[in-house]
Amino acid sequence: MFHDSTMIMALIAGTGIALACGLVGFFLVLRAQVFTGDALSHVAFTGSLAALAFGIDLRVGLFAGCVLIAVLFGALGRRGRADDVVIGNVFAWVLGLGVFFMTLYTTNQSGSGSAGGNQTVAVLFGSILGLSHSMTVVAVAIGLTVSLAMLLIARPLLFATLDETVAAARGVPVRFLSYAFLVLIGITAGEASQAVGSMLLLGLLAAPAGTALLLTDRPFVGMAISAGLGVLDIWAGLTFSYFLPKAPPSFWIMSVAAATYAIAMGYSRLRARSARALPSAATA
């Protein structure tokens, strides 16, 4: 496995993507903005279709769409945080645009070949084993940049997340942090779609973070666990896909993420049950 150059590039790129998803996803779940991540996962597909329809690089539409819609969410929300009604309406509009661009693409001469169709399928379901050397470098660079940015804003963003009003009163730039976080979500969504595809992107953002929040109440420990679990999901999923190649890597990655979350859920419930039983035993 470690002598396969394709697998090596997938592991390296996946590590950078997973770190970004773990850190961004932790705050995504903590701030109850999971619906935002779900919407942006579909924006990734619409943006890529727009790029193909107009004959430009697919990744331009992918990243531009995710970042622009993320900023739009902030502009339409209070202090940079849109509510579910706003997100739902933009979500529906984006899906409509996706249908429009798909119609343009399929009726255009550029859509007559198989290359564009393969690119579309890759955006939908991921193509981490098809990354070139240059794409791997870009994935790692983006992953590390997003991770560093999240670490830099983690403390004030945590303050703004837990008590927005008090944070604003203490001079924390709440609105700026919300916009910055939304942009980071957009960038991460655009890049992570290469690993698991836009259809499964939400799982990579939410599952490691949800698992971390079940395991600890300490936010910075939770961030580390979330990032670590994201890397574990990618590596374990790629390992399964290498030895059991009948299923695609995105399936295995999401399966490992879901299984890890289920185990953490069971452990959390057992721990809560044991905590409730201790006072009863002491009283008896």
Side-chain angles (χ1 to χ4, degrees):
M1 173 177 167
F2 293 104
H3 295 285
D4 186 334
S5 60
T6 300
M7 185 61 66
I8 293 297
M9 285 192 289
L11 289 169
I12 294 172
T15 300
I17 291 170
L19 286 174
C21 285
L23 295 174
V24 169
F26 181 80
F27 279 99
L28 197 69
V29 174
L30 194 64
R31 291 167 65 86
Q33 290 183 284
V34 174
F35 192 24
T36 302
D38 186 26
L40 290 176
S41 67
H42 291 76
V43 171
F45 183 58
T46 299
S48 64
L49 279 174
L52 288 174
F54 291 107
I56 60 177
D57 192 328
L58 180 146
R59 287 172 292 179
V60 173
L62 192 68
F63 284 103
C66 287
V67 172
L68 288 175
I69 296 299
V71 172
L72 179 62
F73 284 152
L76 295 176
R78 185 180 66 86
R79 286 181 175 171
R81 294 178 68 172
D83 59 29
D84 287 348
V85 175
V86 170
I87 295 172
N89 278 285
V90 176
F91 191 2
W93 173 62
V94 166
L95 288 178
L97 281 178
V99 174
F100 171 69
F101 288 130
M102 179 176 287
T103 303
L104 280 182
Y105 173 63
T106 54
T107 56
N108 195 313
Q109 275 189 331
S110 63
S112 59
S114 61
N118 292 337
Q119 287 179 307
T120 307
V121 172
V123 172
L124 269 174
F125 303 109
S127 58
I128 192 168
L129 291 178
L131 298 181
S132 64
H133 181 269
S134 61
M135 293 171 70
T136 300
V137 172
V138 171
V140 172
I142 290 176
L144 293 179
T145 301
V146 170
S147 299
L148 179 60
M150 284 303 305
L151 292 176
L152 290 175
I153 67 172
R155 188 176 294 276
L157 184 61
L158 178 64
F159 189 9
T161 299
L162 298 178
D163 198 327
E164 187 178 86
T165 304
V166 174
R170 293 288 297 271
V172 176
V174 173
R175 191 172 184 85
F176 170 78
L177 286 172
S178 296
Y179 274 105
F181 180 58
L182 285 168
V183 169
L184 292 174
I185 297 173
I187 295 171
T188 304
E191 188 57 40
S193 62
Q194 294 185 90
V196 295
S198 60
M199 295 294 99
L200 301 175
L201 171 61
L202 182 62
L204 194 58
L205 285 169
T211 304
L213 288 170
L214 287 171
L215 297 176
T216 182
D217 295 326
R218 299 168 64 184
F220 294 107
V221 174
M223 288 177 63
I225 292 175
S226 181
L229 286 174
V231 174
L232 173 66
D233 293 341
I234 291 285
W235 278 62
L238 286 172
T239 301
F240 279 121
S241 71
Y242 183 81
F243 292 103
L244 300 169
K246 289 187 177 180
S250 54
F251 165 78
W252 289 117
I253 292 169
M254 288 298 99
S255 297
V256 173
T260 306
Y261 181 79
I263 293 170
M265 177 73 76
Y267 169 76
S268 177
R269 290 184 175 179
L270 286 174
R271 187 175 60 178
R273 188 177 302 173
S274 300
R276 287 194 300 268
L278 283 176
S280 301
T283 303

